[in-house]
Amino acid sequence: MSRKLLLALGETSRTACARGLLRRGVVEGTDQLLSAAVLAERVGWAADLVSGMAASLLAPRWNTTDVDLLASGEDADGRKLPSNAWMALRRLGWTVSPPEGIRVNDRIVRMAQEQAGRTLRSAQWRADLTAAGAARLHDDGRITALGAGGMFRAAGVLAKQHRLRRHSEYLHAKTERYKGLIGQNGQHALNGKHTVLAEEIRAVSARRSNLNEALARAAARWAVDQAITAGATVIYLEDLRSMEARGMGRTHNTRLSQAVRGQIVDRIRHLAAEVGIAVATVPARHTSKHCPQCLAPLRHRKAPDRPTTPGWKWAVCRSCGWQGDRDMGAWRRIAARGLTHQTKTVTDRTGGAVIIRSVIDTLEANAVITPAALKTSRKDRSKTGPTRGHATCPAPGRRRAPSPTGPSGPAGKRPEGHSHTDRTRLPRAAHRHQDVTTISAPTTGHRPRGAALGAGFHLHAHATPPRWADPPPDTTSGRGPLS
């Protein structure tokens, strides 16, 4: 019986750890009390033993083949691996033994296998994470994605930036109100407050500028590190210079003009040039509108895991069935467009940036991401020959000929079946499989539990075997005359 609690839809389980202080211990065999120093020494020795055993298990398994095998979740026979790491390693036959001269119980071995298994499983997760946002152009023209894509998230910095922006807008509105009240009066009582507000606006603007620079440095460093880890030779960026801050209202125009996209792009170019990675920009037209696998128009809707979040972050393709975050589809389109239009790359004379100015329709038709083969745990059940024929049987196995048709009513022989002919509704147990041990429930006296009138099993009695069954063994032979 499993001790794990059943989780409802949308719930997840987490393991919490609490720090504790061990002050003394007791030896079970001799009831000897151990001080805190001796206990720490013994616990440290056991921890070092487990770490050494885990390291000896990881050394021969730290390769792509074994890591992929464990991450696939199936063994060599196609069976699903257990969720516990130590059980999965034992299913695969990856065992470990303590050093020579040391004898440990199975719990220590399980601890070492669990530690090694979690490390191997996290290796696959880290490999998928570091390969995020990478695409490769093959010799035959196919473009494949090397990872599922990653996002740089700075929720805390963005929340602070949002608070500072709202505070700056409030200060500017208050300053404009004071300026309207003061007018041309140089001796107005609000002149002092207006000066204080102007100093506070400058301080808030300085804090926002420093925060934007820190955010741009962190985002650029993350993007270049991802490219270095994936072994990329070029970084393709979306050209958002056409995103002008006008015609959208005063407040929205101010927010767009204060975006840090330009700073991020400049720092990415600077950091990428240090490691020899080229940076090119591609047109941003329809990068989040068309499917990255078939270029069909996408339908945008709310994300299934965030139904209350405003915006249409989820994209679904009705042509090929692809669906995902619209930003995840956009980076695939950007990468495929850049790899396909490499011959159209030029250098801007004014800034020296490498750009792709326009999109060629004939090349854009080939700028698709080839979907990877889906991993399935089911074996191939495709037909390799004709279906085996089945013998037709006019009646059930224990009745080789159909019953004759009887008159309409309860009189005469009832037709084939288990229920009475005058019943419009079948009894509760009439759908059960009934064999030669089936008897009808008694109508008077004791009513067995679970039986229904006219159909059902008696829980305490069985019918005698039929005549055609094997005769019972003779238990009286060889005993002599009866007394």
Side-chain angles (χ1 to χ4, degrees), residues 147-188:
M151 290 186 180
F152 174 76
R153 299 186 183 273
V157 178
L158 294 178
K160 187 175 182 180
Q161 183 69 269
H162 179 69
R163 291 194 300 268
L164 291 177
R165 178 183 55 79
R166 296 293 300 269
H167 186 52
S168 178
E169 293 175 357
Y170 169 75
L171 293 178
H172 278 87
K174 195 171 183 180
T175 302
E176 292 294 333
R177 177 61 177 170
Y178 282 175
K179 187 183 296 184
L181 293 175
I182 292 173
Q184 302 296 330
N185 187 3
Q187 302 297 328
H188 200 279

mmCIF file of all heavy atoms in Angstrom, residues 147-188:
data_model
loop_
_atom_site.group_PDB
_atom_site.id
_atom_site.type_symbol
_atom_site.label_atom_id
_atom_site.label_comp_id
_atom_site.label_asym_id
_atom_site.label_seq_id
_atom_site.Cartn_x
_atom_site.Cartn_y
_atom_site.Cartn_z
ATOM 1 N N GLY A 147 16.603 22.554 -28.430
ATOM 2 C CA GLY A 147 16.039 22.625 -27.089
ATOM 3 C C GLY A 147 14.620 23.142 -27.146
ATOM 4 O O GLY A 147 14.107 23.543 -28.200
ATOM 5 N N ALA A 148 13.969 23.112 -25.989
ATOM 6 C CA ALA A 148 12.581 23.561 -25.911
ATOM 7 C C ALA A 148 12.455 25.069 -25.806
ATOM 8 O O ALA A 148 11.372 25.614 -25.949
ATOM 9 C CB ALA A 148 11.884 22.909 -24.717
ATOM 10 N N GLY A 149 13.567 25.769 -25.560
ATOM 11 C CA GLY A 149 13.511 27.215 -25.418
ATOM 12 C C GLY A 149 13.549 27.633 -23.963
ATOM 13 O O GLY A 149 13.045 26.927 -23.090
ATOM 14 N N GLY A 150 14.156 28.753 -23.700
ATOM 15 C CA GLY A 150 14.258 29.263 -22.335
ATOM 16 C C GLY A 150 13.926 30.732 -22.291
ATOM 17 O O GLY A 150 13.967 31.445 -23.304
ATOM 18 N N MET A 151 13.592 31.210 -21.124
ATOM 19 C CA MET A 151 13.230 32.606 -20.926
ATOM 20 C C MET A 151 14.048 33.180 -19.786
ATOM 21 O O MET A 151 14.270 32.514 -18.771
ATOM 22 C CB MET A 151 11.738 32.758 -20.594
ATOM 23 C CG MET A 151 10.796 32.470 -21.733
ATOM 24 S SD MET A 151 9.092 32.862 -21.281
ATOM 25 C CE MET A 151 8.239 32.415 -22.785
ATOM 26 N N PHE A 152 14.499 34.413 -19.987
ATOM 27 C CA PHE A 152 15.169 35.145 -18.914
ATOM 28 C C PHE A 152 14.100 35.868 -18.107
ATOM 29 O O PHE A 152 13.415 36.760 -18.618
ATOM 30 C CB PHE A 152 16.174 36.140 -19.501
ATOM 31 C CG PHE A 152 16.803 37.031 -18.468
ATOM 32 C CD1 PHE A 152 17.798 36.553 -17.637
ATOM 33 C CD2 PHE A 152 16.399 38.348 -18.330
ATOM 34 C CE1 PHE A 152 18.379 37.367 -16.687
ATOM 35 C CE2 PHE A 152 16.973 39.165 -17.377
ATOM 36 C CZ PHE A 152 17.971 38.678 -16.554
ATOM 37 N N ARG A 153 13.938 35.472 -16.895
ATOM 38 C CA ARG A 153 12.900 36.041 -16.038
ATOM 39 C C ARG A 153 13.556 36.851 -14.916
ATOM 40 O O ARG A 153 14.432 36.339 -14.215
ATOM 41 C CB ARG A 153 12.016 34.947 -15.442
ATOM 42 C CG ARG A 153 11.286 34.117 -16.506
ATOM 43 C CD ARG A 153 10.326 33.149 -15.861
ATOM 44 N NE ARG A 153 9.664 32.302 -16.839
ATOM 45 C CZ ARG A 153 8.543 32.644 -17.477
ATOM 46 N NH1 ARG A 153 7.991 33.807 -17.232
ATOM 47 N NH2 ARG A 153 7.993 31.825 -18.347
ATOM 48 N N ALA A 154 13.132 38.074 -14.791
ATOM 49 C CA ALA A 154 13.610 38.955 -13.720
ATOM 50 C C ALA A 154 12.389 39.586 -13.068
ATOM 51 O O ALA A 154 12.162 40.801 -13.158
ATOM 52 C CB ALA A 154 14.562 40.006 -14.265
ATOM 53 N N ALA A 155 11.583 38.735 -12.448
ATOM 54 C CA ALA A 155 10.307 39.200 -11.898
ATOM 55 C C ALA A 155 10.521 40.232 -10.797
ATOM 56 O O ALA A 155 9.805 41.240 -10.724
ATOM 57 C CB ALA A 155 9.509 38.008 -11.370
ATOM 58 N N GLY A 156 11.518 40.001 -9.930
ATOM 59 C CA GLY A 156 11.743 40.947 -8.844
ATOM 60 C C GLY A 156 12.206 42.301 -9.336
ATOM 61 O O GLY A 156 11.716 43.352 -8.881
ATOM 62 N N VAL A 157 13.132 42.308 -10.306
ATOM 63 C CA VAL A 157 13.625 43.578 -10.849
ATOM 64 C C VAL A 157 12.508 44.306 -11.597
ATOM 65 O O VAL A 157 12.352 45.530 -11.474
ATOM 66 C CB VAL A 157 14.831 43.322 -11.766
ATOM 67 C CG1 VAL A 157 15.325 44.626 -12.380
ATOM 68 C CG2 VAL A 157 15.948 42.658 -10.987
ATOM 69 N N LEU A 158 11.720 43.569 -12.364
ATOM 70 C CA LEU A 158 10.629 44.195 -13.103
ATOM 71 C C LEU A 158 9.542 44.734 -12.173
ATOM 72 O O LEU A 158 8.933 45.774 -12.460
ATOM 73 C CB LEU A 158 10.026 43.191 -14.083
ATOM 74 C CG LEU A 158 10.949 42.747 -15.225
ATOM 75 C CD1 LEU A 158 10.244 41.720 -16.093
ATOM 76 C CD2 LEU A 158 11.389 43.934 -16.055
ATOM 77 N N ALA A 159 9.298 44.046 -11.074
ATOM 78 C CA ALA A 159 8.310 44.548 -10.113
ATOM 79 C C ALA A 159 8.791 45.860 -9.475
ATOM 80 O O ALA A 159 8.013 46.809 -9.301
ATOM 81 C CB ALA A 159 8.048 43.494 -9.040
ATOM 82 N N LYS A 160 10.069 45.906 -9.142
ATOM 83 C CA LYS A 160 10.620 47.144 -8.596
ATOM 84 C C LYS A 160 10.608 48.258 -9.624
ATOM 85 O O LYS A 160 10.302 49.422 -9.321
ATOM 86 C CB LYS A 160 12.048 46.894 -8.111
ATOM 87 C CG LYS A 160 12.664 48.071 -7.366
ATOM 88 C CD LYS A 160 14.028 47.706 -6.818
ATOM 89 C CE LYS A 160 14.618 48.867 -6.042
ATOM 90 N NZ LYS A 160 15.958 48.524 -5.494
ATOM 91 N N GLN A 161 10.931 47.923 -10.879
ATOM 92 C CA GLN A 161 10.869 48.917 -11.941
ATOM 93 C C GLN A 161 9.453 49.431 -12.150
ATOM 94 O O GLN A 161 9.241 50.628 -12.406
ATOM 95 C CB GLN A 161 11.402 48.276 -13.226
ATOM 96 C CG GLN A 161 11.463 49.195 -14.417
ATOM 97 C CD GLN A 161 12.510 50.268 -14.261
ATOM 98 O OE1 GLN A 161 12.204 51.352 -13.757
ATOM 99 N NE2 GLN A 161 13.719 49.964 -14.673
ATOM 100 N N HIS A 162 8.483 48.559 -12.014
ATOM 101 C CA HIS A 162 7.088 48.962 -12.158
ATOM 102 C C HIS A 162 6.685 49.923 -11.039
ATOM 103 O O HIS A 162 5.990 50.933 -11.286
ATOM 104 C CB HIS A 162 6.194 47.726 -12.156
ATOM 105 C CG HIS A 162 4.732 48.027 -12.275
ATOM 106 N ND1 HIS A 162 4.156 48.519 -13.425
ATOM 107 C CD2 HIS A 162 3.722 47.935 -11.365
ATOM 108 C CE1 HIS A 162 2.854 48.700 -13.239
ATOM 109 N NE2 HIS A 162 2.574 48.344 -11.999
ATOM 110 N N ARG A 163 7.112 49.629 -9.817
ATOM 111 C CA ARG A 163 6.783 50.535 -8.707
ATOM 112 C C ARG A 163 7.428 51.904 -8.896
ATOM 113 O O ARG A 163 6.797 52.942 -8.648
ATOM 114 C CB ARG A 163 7.235 49.912 -7.387
ATOM 115 C CG ARG A 163 6.445 48.695 -6.972
ATOM 116 C CD ARG A 163 6.703 48.336 -5.518
ATOM 117 N NE ARG A 163 8.103 48.042 -5.284
ATOM 118 C CZ ARG A 163 8.639 46.822 -5.349
ATOM 119 N NH1 ARG A 163 7.852 45.800 -5.676
ATOM 120 N NH2 ARG A 163 9.908 46.622 -5.098
ATOM 121 N N LEU A 164 8.681 51.917 -9.341
ATOM 122 C CA LEU A 164 9.343 53.197 -9.565
ATOM 123 C C LEU A 164 8.690 53.967 -10.706
ATOM 124 O O LEU A 164 8.592 55.201 -10.657
ATOM 125 C CB LEU A 164 10.824 52.970 -9.864
ATOM 126 C CG LEU A 164 11.682 52.464 -8.696
ATOM 127 C CD1 LEU A 164 13.105 52.205 -9.163
ATOM 128 C CD2 LEU A 164 11.679 53.468 -7.547
ATOM 129 N N ARG A 165 8.251 53.274 -11.730
ATOM 130 C CA ARG A 165 7.590 53.963 -12.842
ATOM 131 C C ARG A 165 6.276 54.583 -12.403
ATOM 132 O O ARG A 165 5.970 55.734 -12.744
ATOM 133 C CB ARG A 165 7.354 52.975 -13.977
ATOM 134 C CG ARG A 165 6.634 53.571 -15.172
ATOM 135 C CD ARG A 165 6.369 52.528 -16.237
ATOM 136 N NE ARG A 165 5.649 51.395 -15.695
ATOM 137 C CZ ARG A 165 4.344 51.396 -15.467
ATOM 138 N NH1 ARG A 165 3.622 52.472 -15.698
ATOM 139 N NH2 ARG A 165 3.763 50.321 -14.977
ATOM 140 N N ARG A 166 5.490 53.827 -11.633
ATOM 141 C CA ARG A 166 4.228 54.381 -11.141
ATOM 142 C C ARG A 166 4.474 55.570 -10.217
ATOM 143 O O ARG A 166 3.753 56.574 -10.264
ATOM 144 C CB ARG A 166 3.441 53.289 -10.408
ATOM 145 C CG ARG A 166 3.000 52.128 -11.282
ATOM 146 C CD ARG A 166 1.961 52.598 -12.297
ATOM 147 N NE ARG A 166 0.783 53.135 -11.634
ATOM 148 C CZ ARG A 166 -0.279 52.404 -11.308
ATOM 149 N NH1 ARG A 166 -0.298 51.104 -11.593
ATOM 150 N NH2 ARG A 166 -1.312 52.956 -10.732
ATOM 151 N N HIS A 167 5.503 55.456 -9.393
ATOM 152 C CA HIS A 167 5.823 56.568 -8.493
ATOM 153 C C HIS A 167 6.291 57.787 -9.282
ATOM 154 O O HIS A 167 5.930 58.934 -8.959
ATOM 155 C CB HIS A 167 6.912 56.128 -7.510
ATOM 156 C CG HIS A 167 7.220 57.153 -6.453
ATOM 157 N ND1 HIS A 167 6.257 57.739 -5.658
ATOM 158 C CD2 HIS A 167 8.400 57.738 -6.072
ATOM 159 C CE1 HIS A 167 6.803 58.599 -4.827
ATOM 160 N NE2 HIS A 167 8.119 58.620 -5.056
ATOM 161 N N SER A 168 7.080 57.573 -10.339
ATOM 162 C CA SER A 168 7.529 58.692 -11.163
ATOM 163 C C SER A 168 6.360 59.361 -11.885
ATOM 164 O O SER A 168 6.307 60.604 -11.977
ATOM 165 C CB SER A 168 8.562 58.185 -12.170
ATOM 166 O OG SER A 168 8.985 59.225 -13.012
ATOM 167 N N GLU A 169 5.420 58.566 -12.380
ATOM 168 C CA GLU A 169 4.243 59.146 -13.027
ATOM 169 C C GLU A 169 3.415 59.957 -12.042
ATOM 170 O O GLU A 169 2.881 61.023 -12.389
ATOM 171 C CB GLU A 169 3.403 58.032 -13.652
ATOM 172 C CG GLU A 169 4.071 57.313 -14.814
ATOM 173 C CD GLU A 169 3.257 56.148 -15.313
ATOM 174 O OE1 GLU A 169 2.190 55.867 -14.691
ATOM 175 O OE2 GLU A 169 3.658 55.499 -16.290
ATOM 176 N N TYR A 170 3.318 59.463 -10.817
ATOM 177 C CA TYR A 170 2.568 60.212 -9.796
ATOM 178 C C TYR A 170 3.262 61.531 -9.463
ATOM 179 O O TYR A 170 2.603 62.583 -9.333
ATOM 180 C CB TYR A 170 2.428 59.346 -8.552
ATOM 181 C CG TYR A 170 1.901 60.091 -7.341
ATOM 182 C CD1 TYR A 170 0.550 60.428 -7.241
ATOM 183 C CD2 TYR A 170 2.754 60.455 -6.289
ATOM 184 C CE1 TYR A 170 0.064 61.110 -6.144
ATOM 185 C CE2 TYR A 170 2.278 61.129 -5.188
ATOM 186 C CZ TYR A 170 0.936 61.456 -5.115
ATOM 187 O OH TYR A 170 0.453 62.138 -4.030
ATOM 188 N N LEU A 171 4.588 61.505 -9.353
ATOM 189 C CA LEU A 171 5.324 62.734 -9.042
ATOM 190 C C LEU A 171 5.224 63.750 -10.175
ATOM 191 O O LEU A 171 5.081 64.957 -9.938
ATOM 192 C CB LEU A 171 6.787 62.406 -8.757
ATOM 193 C CG LEU A 171 7.068 61.597 -7.486
ATOM 194 C CD1 LEU A 171 8.555 61.313 -7.358
ATOM 195 C CD2 LEU A 171 6.561 62.328 -6.249
ATOM 196 N N HIS A 172 5.288 63.278 -11.425
ATOM 197 C CA HIS A 172 5.155 64.189 -12.552
ATOM 198 C C HIS A 172 3.761 64.816 -12.600
ATOM 199 O O HIS A 172 3.614 66.019 -12.893
ATOM 200 C CB HIS A 172 5.436 63.452 -13.862
ATOM 201 C CG HIS A 172 6.889 63.327 -14.180
ATOM 202 N ND1 HIS A 172 7.665 62.289 -13.707
ATOM 203 C CD2 HIS A 172 7.723 64.125 -14.911
ATOM 204 C CE1 HIS A 172 8.914 62.431 -14.146
ATOM 205 N NE2 HIS A 172 8.979 63.540 -14.871
ATOM 206 N N ALA A 173 2.723 64.022 -12.322
ATOM 207 C CA ALA A 173 1.370 64.571 -12.313
ATOM 208 C C ALA A 173 1.205 65.606 -11.201
ATOM 209 O O ALA A 173 0.570 66.657 -11.400
ATOM 210 C CB ALA A 173 0.359 63.433 -12.132
ATOM 211 N N LYS A 174 1.793 65.310 -10.050
ATOM 212 C CA LYS A 174 1.697 66.268 -8.935
ATOM 213 C C LYS A 174 2.480 67.547 -9.238
ATOM 214 O O LYS A 174 2.034 68.656 -8.909
ATOM 215 C CB LYS A 174 2.217 65.613 -7.664
ATOM 216 C CG LYS A 174 1.843 66.348 -6.385
ATOM 217 C CD LYS A 174 2.213 65.527 -5.163
ATOM 218 C CE LYS A 174 1.763 66.228 -3.884
ATOM 219 N NZ LYS A 174 2.118 65.425 -2.676
ATOM 220 N N THR A 175 3.628 67.423 -9.900
ATOM 221 C CA THR A 175 4.422 68.600 -10.254
ATOM 222 C C THR A 175 3.679 69.473 -11.255
ATOM 223 O O THR A 175 3.698 70.715 -11.157
ATOM 224 C CB THR A 175 5.770 68.147 -10.831
ATOM 225 O OG1 THR A 175 6.441 67.339 -9.871
ATOM 226 C CG2 THR A 175 6.635 69.338 -11.177
ATOM 227 N N GLU A 176 3.033 68.846 -12.231
ATOM 228 C CA GLU A 176 2.260 69.603 -13.200
ATOM 229 C C GLU A 176 1.091 70.329 -12.525
ATOM 230 O O GLU A 176 0.739 71.468 -12.889
ATOM 231 C CB GLU A 176 1.732 68.671 -14.291
ATOM 232 C CG GLU A 176 2.809 68.084 -15.184
ATOM 233 C CD GLU A 176 3.485 69.151 -16.027
ATOM 234 O OE1 GLU A 176 2.834 70.189 -16.321
ATOM 235 O OE2 GLU A 176 4.656 68.957 -16.381
ATOM 236 N N ARG A 177 0.509 69.710 -11.522
ATOM 237 C CA ARG A 177 -0.581 70.362 -10.788
ATOM 238 C C ARG A 177 -0.070 71.571 -10.017
ATOM 239 O O ARG A 177 -0.701 72.638 -10.031
ATOM 240 C CB ARG A 177 -1.218 69.344 -9.824
ATOM 241 C CG ARG A 177 -2.318 69.912 -8.939
ATOM 242 C CD ARG A 177 -3.482 70.441 -9.754
ATOM 243 N NE ARG A 177 -4.555 70.908 -8.893
ATOM 244 C CZ ARG A 177 -5.608 71.593 -9.336
ATOM 245 N NH1 ARG A 177 -5.724 71.881 -10.638
ATOM 246 N NH2 ARG A 177 -6.551 71.989 -8.511
ATOM 247 N N TYR A 178 1.090 71.421 -9.356
ATOM 248 C CA TYR A 178 1.678 72.542 -8.638
ATOM 249 C C TYR A 178 2.055 73.666 -9.588
ATOM 250 O O TYR A 178 1.884 74.856 -9.296
ATOM 251 C CB TYR A 178 2.912 72.095 -7.863
ATOM 252 C CG TYR A 178 2.594 71.353 -6.572
ATOM 253 C CD1 TYR A 178 3.603 70.788 -5.806
ATOM 254 C CD2 TYR A 178 1.281 71.222 -6.123
ATOM 255 C CE1 TYR A 178 3.331 70.113 -4.629
ATOM 256 C CE2 TYR A 178 0.994 70.549 -4.956
ATOM 257 C CZ TYR A 178 2.017 69.995 -4.215
ATOM 258 O OH TYR A 178 1.733 69.325 -3.050
ATOM 259 N N LYS A 179 2.584 73.304 -10.756
ATOM 260 C CA LYS A 179 2.988 74.322 -11.717
ATOM 261 C C LYS A 179 1.779 75.108 -12.205
ATOM 262 O O LYS A 179 1.859 76.331 -12.420
ATOM 263 C CB LYS A 179 3.699 73.662 -12.887
ATOM 264 C CG LYS A 179 4.309 74.658 -13.875
ATOM 265 C CD LYS A 179 4.941 73.929 -15.043
ATOM 266 C CE LYS A 179 6.106 73.062 -14.568
ATOM 267 N NZ LYS A 179 6.791 72.420 -15.726
ATOM 268 N N GLY A 180 0.653 74.412 -12.385
ATOM 269 C CA GLY A 180 -0.553 75.122 -12.802
ATOM 270 C C GLY A 180 -1.082 76.044 -11.716
ATOM 271 O O GLY A 180 -1.639 77.101 -12.023
ATOM 272 N N LEU A 181 -0.947 75.659 -10.450
ATOM 273 C CA LEU A 181 -1.422 76.507 -9.360
ATOM 274 C C LEU A 181 -0.500 77.695 -9.120
ATOM 275 O O LEU A 181 -0.967 78.796 -8.777
ATOM 276 C CB LEU A 181 -1.549 75.681 -8.077
ATOM 277 C CG LEU A 181 -2.634 74.593 -8.074
ATOM 278 C CD1 LEU A 181 -2.575 73.777 -6.787
ATOM 279 C CD2 LEU A 181 -4.028 75.199 -8.238
ATOM 280 N N ILE A 182 0.794 77.473 -9.295
ATOM 281 C CA ILE A 182 1.741 78.563 -9.041
ATOM 282 C C ILE A 182 1.655 79.611 -10.137
ATOM 283 O O ILE A 182 1.582 80.819 -9.870
ATOM 284 C CB ILE A 182 3.176 78.004 -8.932
ATOM 285 C CG1 ILE A 182 3.296 77.154 -7.662
ATOM 286 C CG2 ILE A 182 4.200 79.130 -8.903
ATOM 287 C CD1 ILE A 182 4.620 76.433 -7.551
ATOM 288 N N GLY A 183 1.647 79.180 -11.400
ATOM 289 C CA GLY A 183 1.569 80.109 -12.520
ATOM 290 C C GLY A 183 2.825 80.977 -12.597
ATOM 291 O O GLY A 183 3.962 80.476 -12.578
ATOM 292 N N GLN A 184 2.631 82.313 -12.691
ATOM 293 C CA GLN A 184 3.737 83.265 -12.774
ATOM 294 C C GLN A 184 4.070 83.897 -11.434
ATOM 295 O O GLN A 184 4.892 84.822 -11.362
ATOM 296 C CB GLN A 184 3.378 84.369 -13.772
ATOM 297 C CG GLN A 184 3.067 83.866 -15.172
ATOM 298 C CD GLN A 184 4.270 83.219 -15.815
ATOM 299 O OE1 GLN A 184 5.430 83.576 -15.535
ATOM 300 N NE2 GLN A 184 4.008 82.255 -16.712
ATOM 301 N N ASN A 185 3.456 83.397 -10.356
ATOM 302 C CA ASN A 185 3.676 83.979 -9.027
ATOM 303 C C ASN A 185 4.956 83.408 -8.437
ATOM 304 O O ASN A 185 5.022 82.220 -8.084
ATOM 305 C CB ASN A 185 2.477 83.679 -8.130
ATOM 306 C CG ASN A 185 2.582 84.394 -6.790
ATOM 307 O OD1 ASN A 185 3.514 85.156 -6.536
ATOM 308 N ND2 ASN A 185 1.591 84.160 -5.923
ATOM 309 N N GLY A 186 6.005 84.227 -8.329
ATOM 310 C CA GLY A 186 7.264 83.761 -7.769
ATOM 311 C C GLY A 186 7.259 83.648 -6.263
ATOM 312 O O GLY A 186 8.177 83.042 -5.689
ATOM 313 N N GLN A 187 6.269 84.221 -5.575
ATOM 314 C CA GLN A 187 6.198 84.178 -4.118
ATOM 315 C C GLN A 187 5.122 83.224 -3.622
ATOM 316 O O GLN A 187 4.687 83.325 -2.478
ATOM 317 C CB GLN A 187 5.903 85.601 -3.582
ATOM 318 C CG GLN A 187 6.914 86.637 -3.994
ATOM 319 C CD GLN A 187 8.298 86.345 -3.450
ATOM 320 O OE1 GLN A 187 8.441 85.781 -2.353
ATOM 321 N NE2 GLN A 187 9.328 86.756 -4.188
ATOM 322 N N HIS A 188 4.706 82.298 -4.457
ATOM 323 C CA HIS A 188 3.630 81.390 -4.075
ATOM 324 C C HIS A 188 4.119 80.428 -2.995
ATOM 325 O O HIS A 188 5.305 80.063 -2.940
ATOM 326 C CB HIS A 188 3.144 80.612 -5.298
ATOM 327 C CG HIS A 188 1.773 80.024 -5.117
ATOM 328 N ND1 HIS A 188 1.531 78.858 -4.450
ATOM 329 C CD2 HIS A 188 0.547 80.488 -5.524
ATOM 330 C CE1 HIS A 188 0.234 78.596 -4.458
ATOM 331 N NE2 HIS A 188 -0.384 79.586 -5.104
#
